Amino acid sequence: MPEGHTIHRLAKAHRALLGGAVVRASSPQGRFTDGAALIDGSTLTGTDAVGKHLFHHYADGPAGPKVLHVHLGLYGKFTSSTVPPPQPRGALRLRLITDDHWLDLRGPTACEVITTGERDAIVDRLGPDPLRRGADREKAAARIARSRAPIAGLLMDQKVLAGVGNVYRAEVLFRHQLDPYQAGRDLPESAWDAVWDDLCTLMRAGVRSGRIITTEREHRPARNYVYRRAGAPCLVCGTEIRVELLSGRTLFWCPSCQAP
DNA sequence: TCTGCATGAAAAA
DNA sequence: TTTTCCTGCAGAG
C-alpha cells in the first residue's frame, strides 16, 4: 500500500531492523547486481523518507557516502524477518542481510545507489511532505493558488505535495466536501489549510496503523468514504458513489456531498 | 490457468 | 494524453 505513510513506516522499520549494522547486499534476480555491490559490506547509518521516496544512508566508503534510493511505485514490496532468510524465489531485486535480520525488495519502480547530492536533488523536486516536521504548507498553498488544474490533480502532483496518493486524495476531498474538479486557484486558502491539517492527522495515523482509515467513528467499520466504493451508497447521504478517470487515475467521489 | 486490476510515475507522442 | 514498466493477487472459468 505505498502512499507516503507506508514509506515513512518502512523507514522507521528499516532503521530498527538494520540501523548501525554491516549489511551484505545482493541481487538474486540479477537486475541490481552492480548497485548491490556498491553497498555490500557497508554500515547502514540511517534511513529517511520524503513523500514516497525511501533513502538508506550508508557510511563513508572509499568512494564517499552512499545512498540507496527506493521508490516502490505501484507494485514494489519489502518483506523482512530474522535470519536465516528463505531461499530466494522469483524476481528478488535486492536482499540485505545483517547478523540478525534480512530484508527483501521486489518490483520497485526505482532502486539505485546515488550520492548525497543526488538525494538532495530528488528531495528538491518534491513539494512539502505532511509527514515531515517543519514541512512548509505555504509552499504548496502558493502553487495551488496559481493553478487552473483541478484540485484532485494537484493533490496527487508530487511537485505540489509529496506523499499523497489516490486513496488519501479521494478521502480528503470527501472529508472536506470539495468538488474534485474545482480549480486550485478557486480553493479558498482556509479550505487548503484545513485539508493540509487533515492530511497531517490522517497520514500520521496511517504511519502508526499501517492502514489508511479515513472514516469517523460513527461510520465504521467502513474504512473509507469513497475510495473503491463506486456504485455503493454514500455513507453520509446515500447517493451512489461515482468513479471517473482524472489524469489517468481512478477518482472516487460523492456527487452530492462534493457538489460544486 | 487465465484475465484484469492495483495505493505510481516517467517517457513518448 | 497515452503508453510503458515493474509484480502479485483476486476472481472468473
Side-chain angles (χ1 to χ4, degrees):
Chain A
M1 297 189 251
E3 294 196 23
H5 70 298
T6 304
I7 311 308
H8 283 258
R9 203 176 155 79
L10 287 168
K12 274 184 217 245
H14 293 180
R15 197 179 312 140
L17 214 62
L18 313 172
V22 172
V23 167
R24 303 309 312 251
S26 62
S27 177
Q29 172 200 51
R31 279 191 53 176
F32 189 56
T33 303
D34 293 351
L38 289 172
I39 50 175
D40 185 44
S42 307
T43 300
L44 181 81
T45 53
T47 65
D48 195 17
V50 185
K52 298 168 190 168
H53 297 259
L54 173 67
F55 303 99
H56 281 190
H57 301 275
Y58 289 93
D60 253 339
K66 291 153 294 201
V67 180
L68 175 70
H69 170 225
V70 174
H71 192 299
L72 291 179
L74 206 47
Y75 317 112
K77 201 166 265 175
F78 278 105
T79 48
S80 61
S81 190
T82 49
V83 289
Q87 195 65 28
R89 228 175 318 116
L92 181 50
R93 184 76 59 89
L94 172 65
R95 168 169 277 181
L96 300 177
I97 306 177
T98 67
D99 288 343
D100 310 308
H101 295 94
W102 56 270
L103 176 69
D104 284 356
L105 170 64
R106 295 164 191 279
T109 286
C111 176
E112 55 180 353
V113 176
I114 59 177
T115 65
T116 53
E118 288 167 329
R119 182 260 179 204
D120 294 342
I122 290 169
V123 173
D124 283 345
R125 275 187 256 119
L126 297 171
D129 176 351
L131 286 172
R132 287 190 66 101
R133 223 180 290 285
D136 182 5
R137 81 168 164 202
E138 291 307 319
K139 221 169 143 187
R143 287 191 72 131
I144 291 166
R146 68 178 127 85
S147 175
R148 265 168 299 196
I151 185 63
L154 293 169
L155 282 174
M156 293 260 295
D157 185 340
Q158 303 297 302
K159 298 188 290 296
V160 175
L161 194 64
V164 172
N166 206 18
V167 184
Y168 281 122
R169 81 127 166 212
E171 293 297 310
V172 82
L173 287 172
F174 177 88
R175 286 169 59 90
H176 295 265
Q177 302 176 359
L178 292 172
D179 168 21
Y181 292 93
Q182 180 175 23
R185 62 181 182 186
D186 296 333
L187 189 75
E189 193 166 343
S190 60
W192 166 247
D193 288 346
V195 166
W196 172 272
D197 289 343
D198 204 22
L199 283 172
C200 293
T201 305
L202 291 173
M203 292 176 76
R204 277 192 201 122
V207 174
R208 281 193 299 275
S209 71
R211 298 169 178 184
I212 302 181
I213 295 169
T214 52
T215 45
E216 296 297 322
R217 240 164 249 298
E218 69 252 44
H219 299 121
R220 309 267 171 85
R223 288 183 190 171
N224 302 124
Y225 286 108
V226 291
Y227 180 70
R228 290 257 242 168
R229 294 196 64 245
C234 172
L235 299 177
V236 171
C237 78
T239 304
E240 260 193 25
I241 300 302
R242 209 173 278 178
V243 61
E244 237 160 68
L245 235 48
L246 192 144
S247 47
R249 305 300 303 282
T250 50
L251 167 72
F252 299 87
W253 91 107
C254 171
S256 168
C257 291
Q258 300 173 257

